[in-house]
Amino acid sequence: MKKFLIPSLYLGLLIACNSPEKTIDYTQMSDEDRLAAAKEIAHQTIMVDGHVDLPYRMKVGGFTLQREILDVSVRTPDGNFDFPRSKEGGLDAPFMSIYIPAGNQQIPGASKALADSLIMMTERLANTFPDKFAMAYSPADIEANFAKGLISLPMGMENGAGLEDDIKNVEYFHQRGIRYITLTHGKANLIGDSSYDSLRPHGGLSEYGEQVVKEMNRVGIMVDLSHVSDDTFKDALAITQVPVIASHSSARKFTPGFERNMSDELIKAMAENGGVMMINFGGSFIDSTYAAGQAKVREHIVNWLAENNLSRRDSAAQAYIAEYAAANNPFPTVQKVADHIDHVVSLVGIDHVGFGSDFDGVGDSLPTGLKDVSMFPNLIAELLKRGYSREDIEKICYKNIFRVWKAVEDFASSQQ
């Protein structure tokens, strides 16, 4: 329970517990002291992020042992994730997104081939830097890696198109280490309809998609309902026998008309299922004002480039674009992300929310104060300021997603 709901009673109960740690009232601290406390919590607590797009960033940037290309074992000049910044922010287990662009769906075999290559790339990262990274296939693996000071690399497949049209690939990808599958991405696929796609060929899940959800339950892969249409979401909930997740979604209340985010109805349905919604940090996901401003800025820049006969690659254009965007499309702040967490908690309680940043996947739209993985303590400090307890923070950081993950594991074990 959040302290600000019943502050005097809550504080009295804490004092009665005779635990010095539990008597801390973070709301009464200075901002400086609260941030220090947030950093301590971040480093002492396992922190899971439901969605980080590092594998595809490595594919685009080129991953080799040559540091001049891309080596995230050291601090990198761009992107949102690398080992030093992850350690600074206290992020211990970023789910590596095995991202399959919708365009790959047009070429038979291309989606599965890309998934395999991104999995191998992630494994290579762990094998190349075993003193920094380690693969993780269960909550127990993450706990063991955390004790060793290693960053865990669990994997989730973003876009079930990687399964192609073969149900046997569900078990295949479980064996390859995939622990959640986002059923769709930007376009409808063989499994179901996408929130981003105006075409709805299945009206929700397809018959094949129903088989996929059941098979994911059987083998122990979490069902991820980020990106799917509302009808696909409801169909999946009706079929699954275990809790589901939304690995990187935010609340539609703050972005009316944006189906990619979750409505209050869907948030409540997910909570009834026992699932967890992991909040996306992207600007257009958390703030409709930012999304509208972004569209206006984009239109202005396109016109300005044409009028001045410049391309985005020109240095003069880059300087103007950066200056104009900063002046005319203010970024949301870390407080906006906390607002989404507050909303989920007010609807369904603290047990159904987590972090799903979409770092390395949402470009430069990230909020002020949450520009990369080193800045997680800023969000934790904001939550402490709003009255969240340390136990609340631990649930958001890992206990909620671990609960779902273990439930999926247990069900799969019972089916063997």
Side-chain angles (χ1 to χ4, degrees), residues 97 130 282 376 381 402:
S97 170
F376 269 107
F402 272 21

Side-chain angles (χ1 to χ4, degrees), residues 103-290:
N104 283 54
Q105 297 169 195
Q106 310 305 315
I107 307 170
S111 295
K112 180 176 182 294
L114 177 58
D116 278 327
S117 70
L118 295 179
I119 290 169
M120 287 189 289
M121 195 175 296
T122 304
E123 292 171 336
R124 184 180 175 192
L125 178 62
N127 292 333
T128 303
F129 304 105
D131 59 329
K132 294 180 172 67
F133 301 106
M135 301 304 296
Y137 308 110
S138 67
D141 287 346
I142 293 175
E143 290 170 340
N145 292 337
F146 177 74
K148 298 175 184 176
L150 301 174
I151 303 295
S152 290
L153 302 177
M155 296 184 292
M157 182 192 295
E158 185 179 22
N159 193 353
L163 301 175
E164 303 286 349
D165 59 355
D166 188 351
I167 196 68
K168 293 180 182 178
N169 280 330
V170 176
E171 185 166 16
Y172 167 80
F173 278 113
H174 182 268
Q175 293 171 350
R176 295 289 283 112
I178 294 296
R179 289 301 179 263
Y180 74 67
I181 295 176
T182 318
L183 299 184
T184 70
H185 193 256
K187 295 287 184 182
N189 59 21
L190 295 177
I191 294 171
D193 296 337
S194 163
S195 62
Y196 281 137
D197 197 344
S198 60
L199 300 178
R200 306 291 166 100
H202 309 294
L205 273 183
S206 67
E207 290 185 10
Y208 176 63
E210 293 176 1
Q211 296 176 37
V212 166
V213 171
K214 293 175 182 177
E215 183 69 356
M216 288 169 66
N217 286 178
R218 186 187 72 81
V219 305
I221 295 178
M222 290 179 282
V223 177
D224 177 20
L225 299 182
S226 288
H227 278 288
V228 303
S229 70
D230 286 4
D231 287 335
T232 302
F233 196 111
K234 294 171 184 177
D235 287 349
L237 280 183
I239 291 170
T240 184
Q241 299 183 69
V242 292
V244 300
I245 67 169
S247 67
H248 57 307
S249 294
S250 299
R252 199 179 301 170
K253 169 185 168 63
F254 300 95
T255 56
F258 186 37
E259 189 179 355
R260 171 64 179 82
N261 273 347
M262 288 170 58
S263 67
D264 288 1
E265 177 191 5
L266 296 184
I267 294 170
K268 291 176 181 177
M270 172 174 280
E272 290 175 5
N273 158 267
V276 174
M277 175 183 179
M278 309 182 84
I279 301 299
N280 191 310
F281 298 171
S284 60
F285 287 83
I286 61 173
D287 188 352
S288 59
T289 302
Y290 172 79

Side-chain angles (χ1 to χ4, degrees), residues 52-60 96-98 118 121-122:
V52 173
D53 274 295
L54 176 65
Y56 202 77
R57 176 185 160 209
M58 290 194 298
K59 171 183 168 55
V60 172
M96 296 287 98
S97 170
I98 306 303
L118 295 179
M121 195 175 296
T122 304

Side-chain angles (χ1 to χ4, degrees), residues 340-395:
H340 283 256
I341 294 172
D342 272 352
H343 182 65
V344 176
V345 172
S346 70
L347 281 178
V348 297
I350 192 66
D351 295 326
H352 303 284
V353 67
F355 298 141
S357 67
D358 213 350
F359 279 136
D360 280 335
V362 288
D364 60 0
S365 73
L366 290 158
T368 302
L370 273 178
K371 293 296 186 183
D372 62 45
V373 293
S374 71
M375 300 184 184
F376 269 107
N378 292 336
L379 178 54
I380 293 175
E382 178 62 26
L383 295 175
L384 294 175
K385 185 176 184 178
R386 296 183 182 206
Y388 287 78
S389 68
R390 180 165 184 150
E391 173 65 17
D392 292 335
I393 301 300
E394 290 173 350
K395 286 185 175 184

Side-chain angles (χ1 to χ4, degrees), residues 12-60:
L13 289 172
L14 290 181
I15 293 173
C17 288
N18 295 319
S19 171
E21 184 176 57
K22 291 183 179 179
T23 61
I24 297 174
D25 185 352
Y26 298 102
T27 66
Q28 299 303 308
M29 289 182 171
S30 67
D31 289 344
E32 182 180 3
D33 288 343
R34 188 163 40 243
L35 180 58
K39 290 179 178 178
E40 181 181 16
I41 292 172
H43 288 96
Q44 292 179 352
T45 301
I46 293 173
M47 190 189 300
V48 177
D49 186 330
H51 195 89
V52 173
D53 274 295
L54 176 65
Y56 202 77
R57 176 185 160 209
M58 290 194 298
K59 171 183 168 55
V60 172

